[in-house]
Amino acid sequence: MLEAVLAAAAEGERVQAAALVGGRWTSEGPQNERIGPYVRRPVSQAPAAGPGDVAAVRDYAHASARTVARLAPASRAEVLERASRAAAENRDGLARLLALELGKPLKDGRGEIDRVADTFAVCAAEARQIGGDNLPVAGWARGTGNTAFTYRAPAGVALAITPFNAPANLLAHKLGASFAAGNTTIVKAPPQAPAVSTAIVALLIEAGMPYEAVQLLHGDGSVGAALCAADEVAVISFTGSGATGNAVARAAGAKRLVLELGGNAATIVCEDADIAEAARICARTGYSNSGQSCISVQRVYVQRSRFEEFLDLFTGQVEALTVGDPMDPGTDVGAMVDDDAAERVVRWSAEAAEAGARVLLGGKRDGATAMPTVVADPPATCSVVREEVFGALVAVLPFDDLDQAIEQCNQSRYGLQAGLFTRDMDRIITAWRDLEVGGLVVNGSSNFRLDHVPFGGVKDSGFGRESPRCMVDDYTVIKTMMLRGTSLWGTA
């Protein structure tokens, strides 16, 4: 399956993205087309799941859970290690698929597949470390004479709902960690990246993941809602918008949830920072993947004494970005996911200009390609400050002191990740303590992530942490055994 998908993409053919249901690849049923946002033609198609498909995957997952749980952690780790190597070997083909379906530049796509390989390797390492504890029950009088142990058991059936902006790596996180924990997983793919999703699942199957461990459905939000409500599902991992995350929580009811939702990430640049380096990093990370990342640099707060200097340097760096064909290895900024997304950038930059901001660059689009846009000093009431742009736009705002910058950052309803440029340790500790975010990157922008480090937000950015180690915890349940009348410890 993997070879067929990559070969069709390489030859410029429409890719058939199959579903995986009940241990069988299938392309039966009505097809949904994906139009490539840059090439402006159909690049893939996938079968739209119906109620019968949802029922079939539920039943198969329920029947398969015990089979997967009985796989030794070492066996799971070996599969994931082979998948890591296979991802690296197929790097260019998978990056091309990302470029076709999403308009993501090849350099960004290759970077994403590098992360897929790393993520599978980290998941393999976590599988090898799953264990439990010998509890200190004899430290209290009522525990004397007894022994208690715990171990982490698979939750059973996991549901992974993945987004379009990083469909390969975020699928690797969710599916890799779930399998490491010993679960069977149902994957609901994003409609914008069906072929990429099929390719990653096929890669795992060809690396030795048993069919019982994974199923894949394509379709719209109704498919996801039906799966969220399924009694067979024990844990759900969702990445996407806040509105959809709320819908997932309502449909799921009393299930374990890991929700990684939206953001409008801020980066603070203090007067003692290396301004040129801060400008370079913010420009590179504010427009990678056309800004379509939940931690993409959206708001940059610069201390007033260095504000104009930063603006000049930043604007120069943004002007140097290459915009164009995502299939060109030299392209920095390709297309956004669709025309509507690009139009949002144009509309919100115009709104900011009407409110008194300076639009120094961009503010226009060519089809689904939004020109990199720089908005200087927009009022706090503008959408580019309050809401998640999720596009090729960065707003730059002045501040007088760090407390003011932190207050302005915290006015957002989101709290995923922030960046801070300073050499002052007091400022670093203050920001780490007082910023209402799940993570802080020091002397880097908000848009940096290591896949083996805990990642997640607060407020409307969701809850739970998406690194393999944290996700293994979410995908497992602690089971306790008590030995009454038998003790490893003294009983006198």
Side-chain angles (χ1 to χ4, degrees), residues 341-375:
E343 181 59 27
R344 181 177 62 250
V345 172
V346 174
R347 186 172 67 253
W348 285 10
S349 62
E351 173 199 276
E354 290 174 5
R358 292 177 286 158
V359 179
L360 302 179
L361 288 176
K364 56 187 178 181
R365 69 181 176 98
D366 179 6
T369 301
M371 298 300 114
T373 300
V374 178
V375 179

Side-chain angles (χ1 to χ4, degrees), residues 4 62 76 138 186 208 230 292 366 427:
H62 179 70
R76 301 175 215 153
I186 301 169
Q292 296 171 120
D366 179 6
R427 285 171 168 164

Side-chain angles (χ1 to χ4, degrees), residues 393-416:
L393 183 153
V394 175
V396 186
L397 306 97
F399 72 89
D400 293 309
D401 59 62
L402 183 60
D403 287 343
Q404 180 194 40
I406 290 172
E407 181 183 358
Q408 290 173 341
C409 291
N410 288 345
Q411 287 173 357
S412 172
R413 61 193 175 96
Y414 298 109
L416 189 51

Side-chain angles (χ1 to χ4, degrees), residues 2-53:
L2 176 62
E3 183 179 355
V5 167
L6 297 183
E11 294 166 9
E13 299 174 358
R14 186 181 311 187
V15 179
Q16 178 64 61
L20 182 57
V21 179
R24 183 176 71 90
W25 289 105
T26 176
S27 298
E28 299 171 0
Q31 302 290 308
N32 289 331
E33 274 189 343
R34 172 61 182 165
I35 306 295
Y38 186 83
V39 296
R40 318 295 280 186
R41 62 173 174 81
V43 294
S44 60
Q45 63 182 32
D53 299 302

Side-chain angles (χ1 to χ4, degrees), residues 137-147 482 486-487 489:
V137 292
W140 284 261
R142 289 193 65 236
T144 300
N146 302 297
T147 303
M482 184 83 70
T486 299
S487 179
W489 317 103

Side-chain angles (χ1 to χ4, degrees), residues 74-148:
S75 298
R76 301 175 215 153
E78 288 165 3
V79 169
L80 291 163
E81 286 165 351
R82 287 193 293 270
S84 175
R85 293 191 293 271
E89 291 164 2
N90 290 281
R91 177 180 186 245
D92 287 346
L94 292 167
R96 180 181 179 84
L97 204 54
L98 287 163
L100 287 170
E101 284 197 312
L102 298 169
K104 178 176 286 193
L106 283 178
K107 63 171 63 175
D108 288 344
R110 288 167 178 159
E112 181 173 348
I113 302 307
D114 290 341
R115 292 177 64 186
V116 169
D118 286 349
T119 297
F120 283 146
V122 173
C123 289
E126 294 302 332
R128 297 186 187 279
Q129 299 183 67
I130 293 175
D133 292 303
N134 178 4
L135 303 179
V137 292
W140 284 261
R142 289 193 65 236
T144 300
N146 302 297
T147 303

